[in-house]
Amino acid sequence: MIPIAKPSMGGEEVSAVADVLYSGMLAQGENVARFEKNFAEYCSVAEAVAVNNGTAALHATLLALGVRPGDEVIVPDFTFFATASSVCMCGARPVFADVEERTFNVNPISVQECIGPKTRAVIGVHLFGQPFEVTPVWELCEDAKIPLIEDAAQAHGAEYHNKKAGGLGDAACFSFYPTKNMTTGEGGMVTTDNRDLAERIRIIINHGQSEKYLHSCLGFNYRMSDIGGAMGCVQLNKLDSFNSRRRAIARYYSKNIRAAGIIPPFEVPGATHVFHQYVLKVMENGPMTRESLSAYLSGKGIGNAVHYPIPLHRQPVFREIAGDTKCPVSARLADQVISIPVHPSVTDTERDYIVTILNEVK
Ligand SMILES: Cc1ncc(COP(=O)(O)O)c(C=O)c1O
């Protein structure tokens, strides 16, 4: 089976991790600090704070921005669960904005409609590795005097008008889960140009300690281990080559997939999509349903997945919060999308095989 995702690991990661294990400094050693510095430089921002996963990055950022019970935070309806659950973790309410048909990303018009007196922040997601339309959302946030958070969990190295994801809003949150464009096993990062915000996040992720054993607020243990930091330094050096391979495979797919009723992803001009996922749309009038296509691909040894089958406003846990929210585009996409392998370990032979098998759909 060609897997839908696979971390790319080599001898350098093994030896960097082994060095940490032998050093005896497993928790907060020099590697976390080095990884933070290198990641901040990569994103051209002043600060990067490493944490133990992407959800923790979002939670700590929202808390540091002052999101509290009674507040609302606007999130896209079509994304991974953690974008919204992190809002609930602050006792606040996620408000679901609809997305755009072609890009799967948040629709600025819908964001505008969701802004109200209780809105405390907006989280935009660079879904599947493609930046959302930052400029109009940023302008809405400026008018409303609320911060814009990038959920860049799937977009390491993506660019929007030549600026890296991570430096496009007030703060950005990354995940280094093993399926992501780079990994630390589990891990996350917050990037920001706001040094005060970074300092508040550093306190929150370390038990609320402003000094050793002085707890100035209720914090959490959200720290990254030095094992993760060591892997992160090596993976960051490889990120651009991983992303070029993802983009090359995606380009090949988009040029050569000619299957009936299957629509390849749309790339926004002016943005650099890093193809965390390559997501096709299966149209209703085509020869196969999404479910039959999935079974067909699996039967041919091609891993595939649905990201995401249920829009957030229809998740059981959000039923009460969502009320009569309607996000028709998001709901439609949840029935249409299917992802095929685009990770750097896909070989040219596998890539050609995937196109051949898909093009047999008539
Ligand atoms: C868009 C998005 N946001 C947040 C997260 C949460 O990251 P983590 O799994 O590292 O907690 C993920 C991870 O899958 C994600 O894809």
Side-chain angles (χ1 to χ4, degrees):
M1 177 74 84
I2 305 168
I4 181 68
K6 186 175 175 198
S8 300
M9 287 289 147
E12 290 145 294
E13 283 84 351
V14 173
S15 100
V17 168
D19 286 348
V20 177
L21 298 183
Y22 287 124
S23 78
M25 299 286 291
L26 305 190
Q28 296 282 279
E30 61 189 27
N31 287 287
V32 170
R34 191 153 53 92
F35 182 34
E36 290 180 336
K37 183 172 169 290
N38 294 354
F39 203 85
E41 266 169 34
Y42 182 82
C43 295
S44 303
V45 291
E47 293 273 352
V49 183
V51 292
N52 57 352
N53 60 62
T55 312
L58 286 162
H59 184 206
T61 301
L62 290 165
L63 285 177
L65 285 167
V67 173
R68 297 288 179 267
D71 292 339
E72 293 180 352
V73 176
I74 298 169
V75 301
D77 190 56
F78 193 60
T79 174
F80 180 63
F81 176 69
T83 310
S85 65
S86 57
V87 175
C88 299
M89 287 159 70
C90 302
R93 176 175 173 257
V95 176
F96 305 110
D98 208 356
V99 296
E100 292 178 334
E101 189 86 48
R102 286 197 306 182
T103 63
F104 314 140
N105 272 328
V106 76
N107 185 334
I109 296 168
S110 186
V111 172
Q112 183 164 27
E113 287 165 359
C114 291
I115 292 179
K118 293 183 185 168
T119 311
R120 192 68 189 72
V122 174
I123 305 178
V125 181
H126 305 311
L127 197 68
F128 306 139
Q130 172 146 263
F132 65 93
E133 276 296 355
V134 175
T135 306
V137 181
W138 174 258
E139 284 167 5
L140 289 170
C141 288
E142 281 219 310
D143 287 350
K145 300 193 171 35
I146 51 174
L148 173 62
I149 302 166
E150 295 169 73
D151 181 337
Q154 307 185 355
H156 323 68
E159 289 181 12
Y160 180 78
H161 299 294
N162 301 318
K163 270 191 89 177
K164 283 259 169 11
L168 302 169
D170 292 282
C173 300
F174 291 84
S175 163
F176 303 120
Y177 185 72
T179 56
K180 299 295 194 277
N181 292 39
M182 59 173 285
T183 184
T184 60
E186 292 271 10
M189 190 77 84
V190 183
T191 55
T192 181
D193 273 324
N194 181 334
R195 290 192 191 274
D196 290 342
L197 180 67
E199 192 45 40
R200 288 200 295 279
I201 293 170
R202 285 189 196 284
I203 291 171
I204 288 167
I205 65 159
N206 191 21
H207 298 292
Q209 290 182 95
S210 41
E211 288 169 35
K212 194 161 186 187
Y213 300 134
L214 179 72
H215 302 268
S216 52
C217 68
L218 192 63
F220 300 84
N221 178 355
Y222 280 170
R223 298 175 310 231
M224 176 179 277
S225 78
D226 218 49
I227 300 168
M231 272 173 76
C233 289
V234 177
Q235 288 265 301
L236 181 60
N237 286 339
K238 299 180 177 179
L239 177 62
D240 285 346
S241 75
F242 288 160
N243 283 343
S244 340
R245 178 67 187 157
R246 284 177 182 272
R247 284 176 54 71
I249 297 168
R251 213 164 28 243
Y252 186 88
Y253 285 159
S254 295
K255 192 161 160 229
N256 294 290
I257 292 173
R258 292 286 169 267
I262 293 176
I263 302 188
F266 175 75
E267 276 192 76
V268 177
T272 306
H273 193 326
V274 290
F275 289 96
H276 169 59
Q277 297 293 349
Y278 187 88
V279 180
L280 300 161
K281 277 200 283 192
V282 184
M283 304 315 281
E284 270 160 28
N285 54 3
M288 274 197 186
T289 63
R290 194 246 319 262
E291 281 58 41
S292 56
L293 179 67
S294 170
Y296 167 71
L297 291 172
S298 300
K300 298 285 185 185
I302 299 170
N304 60 90
V306 173
H307 304 107
Y308 297 96
I310 305 174
L312 290 187
H313 76 280
R314 292 193 183 157
Q315 288 289 353
V317 68
F318 294 143
R319 198 161 290 151
E320 216 170 287
I321 287 172
D324 63 355
T325 299
K326 286 190 182 43
C327 294
V329 179
S330 163
R332 191 159 57 243
L333 290 175
D335 288 337
Q336 293 177 328
V337 290
I338 186 164
S339 312
I340 58 171
V342 72
H343 52 85
S345 306
V346 172
T347 64
D348 285 358
T349 314
E350 289 170 336
R351 178 200 67 182
D352 295 354
Y353 172 70
I354 290 169
V355 170
T356 306
I357 293 300
L358 271 171
N359 285 350
E360 280 168 11
V361 176
K362 294 203 176 72

